Amino acid sequence: MNSVQELDFPAALAAFAATLPDDVIERDKTGAFAADAWHACADWGLIGMAVPKEFGGSAKGGIETGVAAMEALGYGVRDLGLVFGLSAQMWTVIMPLVEFGSDAQKAKYLPALCDGSMIGCHALTEPQSGSDIYSLQTRAEKVDGGYRLTGQKHLITLAPLADVALLFATTDPAKGRWGVQGFLVERDSPGYHAGPTRDKMGLRTVPIGEITLEDCFVPDENRIGAAGSGFGIAQRSLEFDRCCILAAQIGVMRRQVETAVQYARDRKQFGQAIGKFQSVSNRIADMALRLETSKLLLADVARRIAAGQPAALQSAMLKLHLSEAFVASSTDLIRIHGGTGYLSDTGVERDLRDAMGGVLYAGTSDIQRNIIAGLLGL
């Protein structure tokens, strides 16, 4: 049962989000990261919402509260790149530390990650292991006192800024997923090199780049979890990641429906509001339907995870449906606005550019269909 404090948290977050600067149109042009907004979110207690207070967090609740909070943030903050980056740190770096980290690791990293003085990234994807994510080529060789890591990570959110990476490597490729191990690798470690921010189609305000490891030594105390536990840690973090990143998209979709309705009432053509034309009103009806079905799927997955129930099938369905729905609704919003929706200074077209990333990251739509089919016994 959620406490009153937990239930109030998303509403308070929505009010806070309204106070953040709305300058994303200009920053989107140059791909500028909103560092001030990031620190404001940390000061408010957002980044540490799932972290126990003894480790510097605000302890506002579990995944269901997290989903509600990220929906509120997606609704209230126009900069989806900022929301994406916050979500990546909160659910794929901080949550694995909370659930799998040693007390010493929690004490060292969690307070700094929560207060904004440290940024963390989740480094799993490689140039040759995208959808085939566990055919990792980054090697972790056991040596005296720790491990020596060699390899490259690719398309890593926050990598150009990250002070620490939750990085996955294989200790033995012959073991497949059971050879995968997680490590906490600090930016100033000898042999650790973070590449520059890569230019991209959407989510331009969150830095994404590469990490190269050249005989990078990581001490034993920076191995996270038991030997061979990396697969389980990564899978668990992806469950939280998909729920909470997708929750932010639902917040955007809710705002899109409201924007479309208001524009369709205000815009007049041929002597009447354009919302009176079925070609417009039907698009808005479709947008509302996608929003509601996505919310139901997300709520079901969050409930299952919170209850410790299997959610692999439902999670794949959610990822597929919601990411595709966000693209479709973003396209509809542009069409409803017509030519003005195609202009960058309206902010309408940016939703579509941001939405396209959702059919790729955290498992492509095609991979989700494969997962669904496999879990159905095909």
Side-chain angles (χ1 to χ4, degrees), residues 139-150 167 169-172 179-185 189-190 213-229:
R139 293 296 306 273
E141 179 188 1
K142 188 70 180 78
V143 295
D144 288 343
Y147 295 81
R148 198 165 298 281
L149 275 56
T150 302
L167 190 144
T170 179
T171 58
D172 184 354
V180 177
Q181 185 65 57
F183 300 92
L184 294 163
V185 189
S189 300
L213 304 158
E214 297 177 337
D215 292 328
C216 178
F217 177 76
V218 180
D220 283 324
E221 58 264 29
N222 278 36
R223 189 188 79 186
I224 184 168
S229 66

Side-chain angles (χ1 to χ4, degrees), residues 221-372:
E221 58 264 29
N222 278 36
R223 189 188 79 186
I224 184 168
S229 66
F231 172 77
I233 294 172
Q235 285 293 99
R236 180 65 169 164
S237 68
L238 284 173
E239 285 183 347
F240 278 94
D241 184 36
R242 287 171 179 167
C243 274
C244 295
I245 285 182
L246 295 174
Q249 292 184 355
I250 283 182
V252 180
M253 290 169 66
R254 177 158 63 93
R255 172 163 42 82
Q256 287 179 327
V257 171
E258 294 177 3
T259 300
V261 169
Q262 189 62 53
Y263 187 81
R265 287 173 176 168
D266 295 342
R267 172 70 168 166
K268 302 293 193 301
Q269 288 288 278
F270 303 101
Q272 62 181 335
I274 64 171
K276 297 299 181 181
F277 298 108
Q278 283 187 327
S279 58
V280 173
S281 62
N282 285 355
R283 285 195 180 105
I284 296 176
D286 287 342
M287 292 171 68
L289 178 61
R290 293 185 199 108
L291 172 62
E292 293 305 317
T293 54
S294 297
K295 287 170 64 176
L296 290 171
L297 283 168
L298 179 59
D300 181 52
V301 173
R303 178 188 59 78
R304 288 173 181 271
I305 293 174
Q309 299 172 351
L313 175 62
Q314 292 77 15
S315 178
M317 289 179 172
L318 166 67
K319 175 62 172 63
L320 173 61
H321 177 77
L322 204 162
S323 60
E324 296 285 350
F326 188 24
V327 171
S329 289
S330 298
T331 303
D332 279 342
L333 189 63
I334 294 174
R335 287 180 162 183
I336 290 164
H337 280 75
T340 60
Y342 196 65
L343 300 177
S344 295
D345 60 7
T346 65
V348 174
E349 56 82 35
R350 188 181 65 255
D351 282 350
L352 179 58
R353 291 190 284 110
D354 290 345
M356 284 304 301
V359 303
L360 303 173
Y361 59 69
T364 68
S365 290
D366 297 313
I367 288 297
Q368 302 311 316
R369 289 185 175 92
N370 289 346
I371 292 172
I372 293 167

Side-chain angles (χ1 to χ4, degrees), residues 35-57:
D36 289 345
W38 181 282
H39 287 291
C41 289
D43 292 343
W44 191 82
L46 169 66
I47 298 179
M49 65 166 289
V51 176
K53 291 183 179 180
E54 66 259 37
F55 295 113

Side-chain angles (χ1 to χ4, degrees), residues 71-289:
E71 179 182 344
L73 195 66
Y75 177 83
V77 177
R78 302 280 175 157
D79 184 357
L80 192 55
L82 171 65
V83 177
F84 184 82
L86 288 165
S87 191
Q89 172 157 313
M90 291 165 63
W91 309 112
T92 70
V93 180
I94 289 177
M95 276 306 300
L97 262 171
V98 170
E99 293 201 338
F100 301 100
S102 67
D103 286 344
Q105 290 169 345
K106 293 176 185 179
K108 181 176 182 180
Y109 295 108
L110 285 177
L113 289 168
C114 291
D115 69 17
S117 59
M118 180 177 282
I119 289 179
C121 68
H122 180 275
L124 179 62
T125 303
E126 298 180 0
Q128 301 303 320
S129 61
S131 296
D132 184 14
I133 200 65
Y134 294 109
S135 61
L136 298 181
Q137 296 184 12
T138 298
R139 293 296 306 273
E141 179 188 1
K142 188 70 180 78
V143 295
D144 288 343
Y147 295 81
R148 198 165 298 281
L149 275 56
T150 302
Q152 185 179 29
K153 296 298 179 178
H154 179 61
L155 297 173
I156 305 302
T157 303
L158 296 173
L161 298 179
D163 302 289
V164 62
L166 173 53
L167 190 144
F168 296 87
T170 179
T171 58
D172 184 354
K175 293 181 179 179
R177 65 181 62 180
W178 310 117
V180 177
Q181 185 65 57
F183 300 92
L184 294 163
V185 189
E186 297 182 11
R187 184 185 186 91
D188 59 1
S189 300
Y192 180 104
H193 307 285
T197 297
R198 298 293 296 272
D199 196 14
K200 52 192 181 300
M201 174 182 178
L203 300 172
R204 293 176 54 82
T205 58
V206 60
I208 291 178
E210 283 71 47
I211 296 172
T212 301
L213 304 158
E214 297 177 337
D215 292 328
C216 178
F217 177 76
V218 180
D220 283 324
E221 58 264 29
N222 278 36
R223 189 188 79 186
I224 184 168
S229 66
F231 172 77
I233 294 172
Q235 285 293 99
R236 180 65 169 164
S237 68
L238 284 173
E239 285 183 347
F240 278 94
D241 184 36
R242 287 171 179 167
C243 274
C244 295
I245 285 182
L246 295 174
Q249 292 184 355
I250 283 182
V252 180
M253 290 169 66
R254 177 158 63 93
R255 172 163 42 82
Q256 287 179 327
V257 171
E258 294 177 3
T259 300
V261 169
Q262 189 62 53
Y263 187 81
R265 287 173 176 168
D266 295 342
R267 172 70 168 166
K268 302 293 193 301
Q269 288 288 278
F270 303 101
Q272 62 181 335
I274 64 171
K276 297 299 181 181
F277 298 108
Q278 283 187 327
S279 58
V280 173
S281 62
N282 285 355
R283 285 195 180 105
I284 296 176
D286 287 342
M287 292 171 68
L289 178 61

